[in-house]
Amino acid sequence: MTTITLVQGDITREHADAIVNAANSSLLGGGGVDGAIHRRGGPEILEECRRLRASHYGKGLATGRAVATTAGALDARWVIHTVGPRFSHEEDRSELLASCYRESLRVADELGARKVAFPAVSTGIYGWPLDDGARIAVETVRRAGAAVEEVRFVLFDDRAYEAFAAQLR
């Protein structure tokens, strides 16, 4: 069974087998978590992302999917990039958000990762309500049946930490 732990802090400072990146579909870096991971991880991550774009992901990575690259200078072996959905009041995209967590754990299992650090996917610039994002994240990880030993949610601030803590109670 996968243990879920919470940490408040900077995901780029985590020690894990794999760090999940809330990427944009281009895989070429961006703002928020994505930009921070690319900056701290260094050019090796971007180089590998460019190779992925030139081969299997010419149109980018689809929302809800995940793919791994090197972690570069991060204290991890891999970065698992996943593209979260933008929140919509008109369309229920909950399944796409859940897919980000399931697909990331599937990739982690394929890699043999034991400890995986996740951000709160889609709850930043993509506008997903934090409480609902936390609910989907925790429920999905609990139900995934992954071989990963520990999922660590690395949360940026008090508000995010409390939203996830409420889901674990």
Side-chain angles (χ1 to χ4, degrees):
M1 187 168 109
T2 302
T3 300
I4 299 174
T5 57
L6 306 179
V7 174
Q8 187 174 332
D10 177 351
I11 197 165
T12 69
R13 301 282 187 190
E14 281 298 303
H15 169 75
D17 296 315
I19 293 174
V20 176
N21 179 20
N24 65 53
S25 63
S26 77
L27 294 175
L28 302 178
V33 169
D34 192 20
I37 284 174
H38 276 271
R39 280 189 302 278
R40 188 167 313 270
E44 298 87 359
I45 297 172
L46 183 58
E47 287 171 24
E48 218 169 302
C49 285
R50 284 188 174 133
R51 282 195 293 277
L52 287 170
R53 285 296 305 270
S55 60
H56 296 84
Y57 300 98
K59 294 182 181 179
L61 185 63
T63 302
R65 301 301 310 257
V67 65
T69 65
T70 181
L74 297 172
D75 193 6
R77 291 186 64 192
W78 304 284
V79 171
I80 299 173
H81 307 267
T82 191
V83 180
R86 292 183 184 277
F87 181 75
S88 169
H89 289 285
E90 290 78 41
E91 179 184 357
D92 182 5
R93 298 178 179 166
S94 300
E95 182 51 36
L96 284 171
L97 182 55
S99 180
C100 291
Y101 292 98
R102 273 195 310 274
E103 285 291 300
S104 295
L105 289 169
R106 179 189 61 75
V107 170
D109 279 350
E110 287 175 1
L111 294 169
R114 293 310 203 207
K115 181 177 177 184
V116 180
F118 276 93
V121 177
S122 287
T123 63
I125 196 167
Y126 282 12
W128 206 280
L130 191 51
D131 291 337
D132 192 49
R135 178 190 61 79
I136 291 168
V138 170
E139 285 179 4
T140 303
V141 169
R142 281 181 169 156
R143 293 180 182 157
V148 168
E149 292 170 7
E150 181 185 1
V151 165
R152 179 174 286 211
F153 288 108
V154 183
L155 306 157
F156 185 71
D157 59 19
D158 291 336
R159 193 170 150 259
Y161 186 94
E162 286 305 316
F164 275 74
Q167 293 302 316
L168 290 177
R169 289 195 268 276

